Structure formats: C-alpha cells, structure tokens
C-alpha cells in the first residue's frame, strides 16, 4: 500500500513543452495557452530553446481542451493548436514545438 501511495505522488500531472526557434530571427511574445493557464516566452533567439512544465494540478475541473501556441506580428500572428487533454488529464507525452521560417512543427515524445 505504501509503495502504491508513493508511486501516485511521484507521477507528474502535467506535460513539458519544449520550444525551439529555427525561424532565422529572434521572436518575441510567443505564448502557450491551455485554457486554464498561459506561459509567455517574451524573447527567444534564433537557435535557442526554452522548456517549461504545464502543471495540470491547477486544473480544478474535469474538462477537455487543446493547448495552443499563439504568436504575434514578429512571427506570422497565428494560433497553432496541439496537445489535446481529456477529462482534466494531460497528454502522456512531452511536446516539442519547432518554430521554422515558414511553418510550425509539432512533435510528441514519451
């Protein structure tokens, strides 16, 4: 029983997002939106990567949703959806978002 309780507390209840800038320029104001929280990358230089953890413990209800990357005018002023979550549970994979010159590439990893 103690092992089971320890295992439950050691489980991460979230997902890690890695953002890599391969666009050829410095980008500003890139945000990851979840519907219940937001992470802002104020500046990410060309060739740089930044990572952060989206904590699903903040989500108090059992909802479904999609995470999204939102950009401003320095990078096409678009919204890119990814990372579906269901019933308040995070995707069971980490997500890498690669910002390229003319597209955004999304990869999921275990």
């Amino acid at each position: 029983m103690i092992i089971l309780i320890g295992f439950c507390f050691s489980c991460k209840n979230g997902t890690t997002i890695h953002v890599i800038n391969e666009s050829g320029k410095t980008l500003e104001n890139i945000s990851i939106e979840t519907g219940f929280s937001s992470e802002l990358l104020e500046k990410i230089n060309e060739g740089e990567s930044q990572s952060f953890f989206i904590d699903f413990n903040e989500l108090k209800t059992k909802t479904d949703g999609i995470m999204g990357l939102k950009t401003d005018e320095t990078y096409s002023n678009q919204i890119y959806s990814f990372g579906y979550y269901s019933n308040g549970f995070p995707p069971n994979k980490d997500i890498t978002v690669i910002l390229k010159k003319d597209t955004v590439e999304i990869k999921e990893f275990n």
Side-chain angles (χ1 to χ4, degrees), residues 31-88:
S31 65
I32 302 292
E33 308 286 333
T34 63
F36 63 90
S37 71
S38 178
E39 289 286 336
L40 177 65
L41 304 175
E42 292 181 8
K43 181 179 176 183
I44 183 167
N45 295 317
E46 159 61 27
E48 185 179 67
S49 66
Q50 295 185 23
S51 299
F52 49 90
F53 182 73
I54 302 291
D55 187 358
F56 275 70
N57 287 322
E58 297 177 20
L59 186 58
K60 303 297 183 203
T61 61
K62 301 294 182 194
T63 60
D64 294 355
I66 296 176
M67 292 183 272
L69 176 115
K70 184 178 177 185
T71 64
D72 72 1
E73 63 276 355
T74 64
Y75 189 75
S76 71
N77 207 22
Q78 302 247 351
I79 297 175
Y80 302 90
S81 298
F82 63 90
Y84 179 80
Y85 58 92
S86 179
N87 203 23

Side-chain angles (χ1 to χ4, degrees), residues 17-29:
I17 309 289
H18 309 279
V19 179
I20 302 169
N21 182 0
E22 295 180 358
S23 69
K25 61 183 176 181
T26 297
L27 302 175
E28 297 177 349
N29 300 319

